[in-house]
Amino acid sequence: MNDYTEEINRRRTFAIISHPDAGKTTLTEKFLLYGGAINLAGSVKGKATARHAVSDWMEIEKERGISVTSSVLQFEYGGYCINILDTPGHQDFSEDTYRTLMAADSAVMVIDASKGVEAQTRKLFKVCVMRKIPIFTFINKLDRDANDTFDLLDDIEKELGIATCPVNWPIGSGKEFKGVYDREKRCVISYADTEKGTKEGTATEIPVAEEDRLRAQIGDPAVDKLLEEIDLLDGAGAEFDLEAVRAGNLTPVCFGSALTNFGVEIFLKHFLQMTTTPLARKADIGLIEPVTNDFSAFVFKIQANMNKAHRDRIAFMRICSGRFDAQMEVRHVQGGKVMRLSQPQQIMADDRKILTEAYAGDIIGVFDPGIFSIGDTLCSPKEKFQYEGIPTFAPEHFARVRQIDTMKRKQFVKGVEQIAQEGAIQIFQEFNTGLEEIIVGVVGVLQFDVLKYRLENEYNVEIRLEPLPYEHIRWIENKEEVDIEKLTGTSDMKKVKDMKGNPLLLFVNAWSVGMTLDRNKGLVLAEFSRN
Ligand code: G4P
């Protein structure tokens, strides 16, 4: 046992995923409120304050009042040290949103009770499934009229293919919202509409066994319905099984209202008990254990020009094992160098703090003089191993890029390549030609604006983007076995290659993907690339 074992074991690092407007920001604020990290909810980065957040590193963000970047929030609660990986809450999210999930040990999924599973949740959920991390569900906005509870759970099971296990059960919704029933304690916690932004009021707990008291508190119809639902639930619902939760096969579900602050602390407590300490990670020499191994980390995000005056680049890394000390030397495996990390810092929503130490589970940002790439490994100089790469996620929007002044070819290529290296965009070429035709793929359309803006401002190159109709991209998994030239797809299919020369196919719709698979027996296509 190391003298910092306890520090690592009390860390919980998770991401919050949701569709925009489900209440991610509000829930995060309430978490911070319990942790005492902020005094008044509403001060984190609500839409109104987004313009002033530190992450407004680009004019685009300011102009649109949205946050393109993500940050990390660290706070203490009940003896735990919690790292929340915040992902941009806007529809126009980017590949970074996905990558952030690679740095988390679990995910909290926020669902709007009147909407059920929505598009963006579905996309982010896929990444969680790929990583097999535990997922905890908070069904929010019960203070508004909600869908039927059984239907909501059904929706999650059908849409996302994960079993659900309600930790508590809502009693009514909207004006009739009375509170939640805690299944383990077999009692009802009645709803108090606390003042927005304050800590949870003193909730009244009444055991269901004390039926008369309960009837007096929440009324006959609510009690009758609840007793019926408890019967159904106990008979039919999935058994709680921590192993299945940890394996990402079962999601515990809590209900509440982030805005009126009901059910948030109950959820946080359950969540912290059930979620994991920092997880071991796969490297080329085997699993690296957080506590027993020396310092190691991997880069999951690179952000350029956070401070325009300094033209700086920050590499965000997730510490996977051991203790980090700002004075220590580390090996940058891919760069083949032993070095000290420059200006290690913790990047919070609205400030940066220089760090002297950090532990497995923590996220640090370091100044990057242009040497780091996404997926790079850092470890103790005594060792030399590499963590599994971060997959390339499928872009969903494509455009052909043309430079307006063809004399600036060199800057153009350099700019596009550097921005691609940071992982903000992906670039592709026509299958049989060189770099003269560049196709750019992005996960969120906002990245097109980011590319145009950055090329103009940082590389002095003007471009024109011509949107392409493709929406689906597939890597050819068995490229050694397939003769790409001879592939017969649909008429709309386009063959391209990525910067590493991997062949890919672009399609306008999902039907074409299926058709192409049908026409080319033995062809294996993938939505992610691990090369
Ligand atoms: P997001 O980060 O997932 O995009 O969602 P966010 O927390 O910003 O919440 C989206 C909207 O939903 C906000 O209202 C917020 O106040 C509201 N909301 C969040 N949780 C609850 C809840 O439990 N009950 C109810 N009734 N509303 C909730 P807005 O009007 O868009 O913004 P604002 O003016 O309140 O900031």
Side-chain angles (χ1 to χ4, degrees):
M1 177 154 154
N2 288 308
D3 51 358
Y4 50 77
T5 303
E6 224 172 274
E7 274 301 332
I8 294 178
N9 284 339
R10 71 187 194 93
R11 275 165 164 73
R12 300 288 183 274
T13 303
F14 63 94
I16 308 193
I17 62 174
S18 75
H19 192 80
D21 275 348
K24 186 166 69 75
T25 310
T26 313
L27 187 70
T28 310
E29 278 176 3
K30 297 296 151 71
F31 282 167
L32 294 181
L33 189 66
Y34 288 115
I38 51 168
N39 297 323
L40 242 176
S43 58
V44 182
K45 58 153 208 65
K47 291 187 187 76
T49 54
R51 284 176 201 87
H52 310 296
V54 142
S55 66
D56 62 358
W57 58 293
M58 284 177 58
E59 294 301 316
I60 293 175
E61 288 195 328
K62 281 196 220 150
E63 274 165 26
R64 299 210 187 168
I66 54 167
S67 166
V68 187
T69 55
S70 21
S71 68
V72 186
L73 303 162
Q74 189 179 61
F75 68 98
E76 301 264 337
Y77 176 81
Y80 295 100
C81 176
I82 299 166
N83 293 306
I84 301 186
L85 291 158
D86 184 27
T87 50
H90 195 264
Q91 203 115 23
D92 279 329
F93 69 176
S94 71
E95 229 187 305
D96 274 346
T97 319
Y98 288 139
R99 289 199 198 104
T100 300
L101 286 173
M102 304 305 290
D105 294 316
S106 62
V108 164
M109 173 163 79
V110 186
I111 288 178
D112 183 330
S114 68
K115 304 236 171 83
V117 176
E118 293 175 89
Q120 200 150 303
T121 320
R122 214 173 285 135
K123 286 196 218 166
L124 292 164
F125 183 85
K126 270 193 195 167
V127 183
C128 298
V129 169
M130 179 188 80
R131 292 210 40 225
K132 298 191 170 64
I133 54 174
I135 298 162
F136 299 84
T137 305
F138 184 77
I139 300 192
N140 191 27
K141 304 197 185 181
L142 263 296
D143 59 305
R144 293 235 185 109
D145 288 342
N147 294 357
D148 175 77
T149 316
F150 286 106
D151 288 350
L152 280 166
L153 298 179
D154 239 29
D155 187 39
I156 295 174
E157 302 207 347
K158 288 213 181 87
E159 284 275 341
L160 305 176
I162 187 169
T164 57
C165 177
V167 172
N168 56 34
W169 192 258
I171 306 166
S173 69
K175 286 198 182 68
E176 298 303 316
F177 184 45
K178 307 282 186 199
V180 290
Y181 163 68
D182 183 322
R183 295 185 66 201
E184 196 186 36
K185 288 195 195 157
R186 301 194 82 79
C187 70
V188 165
I189 300 150
S190 69
Y191 173 62
D193 187 356
T194 50
E195 205 183 315
K196 285 180 193 175
T198 60
K199 286 198 186 182
E200 216 153 296
T202 17
T204 323
E205 275 190 32
I206 306 173
V208 257
E210 295 179 29
E211 211 178 301
D212 291 342
R213 232 182 108 202
L214 197 59
R215 286 186 184 278
Q217 177 81 17
I218 65 171
D220 286 337
V223 174
D224 292 343
K225 183 159 185 262
L226 175 68
L227 293 177
E228 215 173 273
E229 289 180 337
I230 292 176
D231 263 359
L232 271 172
L233 254 184
D234 291 349
E239 284 286 315
F240 180 75
D241 173 355
L242 192 57
E243 289 287 297
V245 172
R246 295 262 166 99
N249 295 324
L250 176 71
T251 178
V253 182
C254 280
F255 296 82
S257 158
L259 186 70
T260 60
N261 212 356
F262 182 81
V264 175
E265 194 167 24
I266 309 175
F267 174 65
L268 184 60
K269 280 185 177 152
H270 273 104
F271 165 68
L272 290 171
Q273 273 165 22
M274 288 188 257
T275 191
T276 65
T277 54
L279 294 173
R281 273 193 191 243
K282 255 197 210 147
D284 54 0
I285 56 164
L287 270 189
I288 305 295
E289 294 291 339
V291 172
T292 47
N293 280 85
D294 285 342
F295 167 79
S296 71
F298 73 91
V299 177
F300 67 94
K301 173 186 165 84
I302 290 174
Q303 197 157 299
N305 289 352
M306 284 183 72
N307 182 343
K308 214 178 163 197
H310 298 111
R311 282 206 153 218
D312 61 353
R313 233 164 88 132
I314 302 278
F316 286 81
M317 39 191 90
R318 148 86 200 224
I319 304 180
C320 301
S321 62
R323 173 178 180 272
F324 169 75
D325 177 331
Q327 296 307 316
M328 80 202 288
E329 293 208 305
V330 301
R331 179 190 299 280
H332 174 213
V333 180
Q334 279 80 355
K337 282 211 174 90
V338 170
M339 59 167 101
R340 276 206 181 90
L341 294 177
S342 178
Q343 301 169 22
Q345 50 198 289
Q346 190 188 359
I347 308 209
M348 297 273 287
D350 54 0
D351 81 309
R352 300 184 190 187
K353 198 170 81 187
I354 295 291
L355 286 172
T356 50
E357 59 169 17
Y359 299 90
D362 291 343
I363 310 295
I364 57 172
V366 306
F367 174 72
D368 172 20
I371 55 172
F372 296 118
S373 294
I374 305 259
D376 281 4
T377 301
L378 292 108
C379 60
S380 140
K382 289 183 291 191
E383 287 170 305
K384 199 174 188 175
F385 62 81
Q386 289 186 23
Y387 280 110
E388 267 193 340
I390 293 188
T392 305
F393 296 97
E396 290 171 22
H397 308 275
F398 298 86
R400 201 183 297 282
V401 192
R402 292 193 200 280
Q403 60 186 123
I404 291 169
D405 179 355
T406 46
M407 299 297 283
K408 292 184 179 164
R409 187 74 201 160
K410 244 175 137 178
Q411 290 104 300
F412 169 68
V413 173
K414 184 175 164 212
V416 170
E417 282 183 351
Q418 280 190 352
I419 295 169
Q421 189 203 352
E422 284 166 26
I425 56 164
Q426 290 177 44
I427 42 183
F428 306 100
Q429 289 163 252
E430 297 272 351
F431 194 64
N432 282 324
T433 61
L435 256 183
E436 33 311 323
E437 283 270 301
I438 294 182
I439 294 173
V440 172
V442 295
V443 169
V445 284
L446 182 68
Q447 295 309 114
F448 284 141
D449 293 357
V450 172
L451 172 69
K452 197 165 185 318
Y453 179 90
R454 289 190 56 188
L455 282 175
E456 275 170 28
N457 281 270
E458 294 166 35
Y459 301 91
N460 204 14
V461 176
E462 269 189 80
I463 55 159
R464 196 170 42 235
L465 288 157
E466 292 164 13
L468 294 169
Y470 308 106
E471 286 184 10
H472 301 266
I473 186 169
R474 294 291 184 274
W475 277 265
I476 299 173
E477 285 245 290
N478 53 343
K479 59 184 178 200
E480 284 79 20
E481 297 155 25
V482 175
D483 184 349
I484 317 284
E485 305 281 353
K486 291 207 180 114
L487 274 184
T488 45
T490 47
S491 57
D492 61 345
M493 184 187 86
K494 188 170 186 66
K495 298 173 190 172
V496 293
K497 58 186 175 192
D498 65 17
M499 292 312 284
K500 292 175 188 154
N502 295 313
L504 301 116
L505 303 175
L506 302 181
F507 300 95
V508 171
N509 53 43
W511 178 83
S512 300
V513 182
M515 202 61 203
T516 303
L517 281 170
D518 275 355
R519 286 185 182 162
N520 300 276
K521 292 290 171 221
L523 176 68
V524 184
L525 299 178
E527 280 188 56
F528 306 107
S529 160
R530 286 198 174 272
N531 300 313

